Amino acid sequence: MLRKALERLLELPAVYDLNQFIGQPTVRRYTQLLAEEVPLGEGSHVLDLGCGTGATRKLIPGQYVGIDINPDYIASAKRIRSSGEFIAMDATKLSFPDASFDQVISVATTHHLDGEQLQAMVVEALRVVKPGGAFHIIDAILPVNSRDRAKELFFRMDRGRFPRKLEHLVATVSCAANVARTRVLSGPMHDVAYLKVLGI
């Protein structure tokens, strides 16, 4: 019952933003992987799947479109972000035409999706990315070191119902696409994974 109440609270944009502030060690790893792994430039057109309240926008130098299934997050992003386009949309059913974006990213979203939803998001992301682009997944994972019980317990308190180890995340995504590269950064709260995903 307490968990359900917390999950409802986190649906509120202000509480979501506070949670992001508290989780800065993990957010810094997301930011590092985004900067080091995703080719971004002034002329690039980027789609962000599961954008929350749009915090990633400030890291993207080119054109930016963020989508999230929570319309309250999108309304907040439109109010507080000075640029970018924000749309309430389901990442498993994108309304964009084929090959609309240079790169597609998803930060801290996969642990909210079951296997079928994750694979549907991958298929849609690869449909809307231009040839030569990729789908870049960055998310917290269950700790690489199985003896790290504290990090695992902490992650399992998250409202995301589908925390995965790296190998499980890769296996799930690989059912729908080709995982061309992986990288993991260890952290005090979470280990964070990067996957570069290409069409099969």
Side-chain angles (χ1 to χ4, degrees), residues 16 20 26-35 38 40 46-57 59-60 64 67-68 73 91 104-113 118 121 135-140 159 192-195:
Y16 172 89
Q20 295 298 299
T26 300
V27 171
R28 281 194 294 273
R29 282 158 181 79
Y30 293 156
T31 301
Q32 179 182 346
L33 288 168
L34 186 67
V38 182
L40 299 170
V46 177
L47 174 63
D48 183 1
L49 303 180
C51 69
T53 58
T56 302
R57 170 57 185 129
L59 306 172
I60 308 296
Y64 172 93
I67 69 143
D68 200 282
Y73 289 173
V104 180
I105 63 172
S106 175
V107 180
T109 301
T110 67
H111 67 281
H112 295 284
L113 305 176
L118 175 52
M121 180 175 74
F135 180 30
H136 307 271
I137 294 173
I138 300 170
D139 204 354
R159 67 189 168 121
V192 176
Y194 165 78
L195 279 66

Side-chain angles (χ1 to χ4, degrees), residues 42-92:
E42 289 294 336
S44 62
H45 194 189
V46 177
L47 174 63
D48 183 1
L49 303 180
C51 69
T53 58
T56 302
R57 170 57 185 129
K58 66 182 179 290
L59 306 172
I60 308 296
Q63 290 180 281
Y64 172 93
V65 177
I67 69 143
D68 200 282
I69 201 164
N70 183 331
D72 293 333
Y73 289 173
I74 293 299
S76 178
K78 287 179 177 179
R79 274 194 315 273
I80 62 179
R81 306 295 166 200
S82 59
S83 66
E85 183 179 359
F86 298 93
I87 306 167
M89 188 184 300
D90 184 340
T92 69

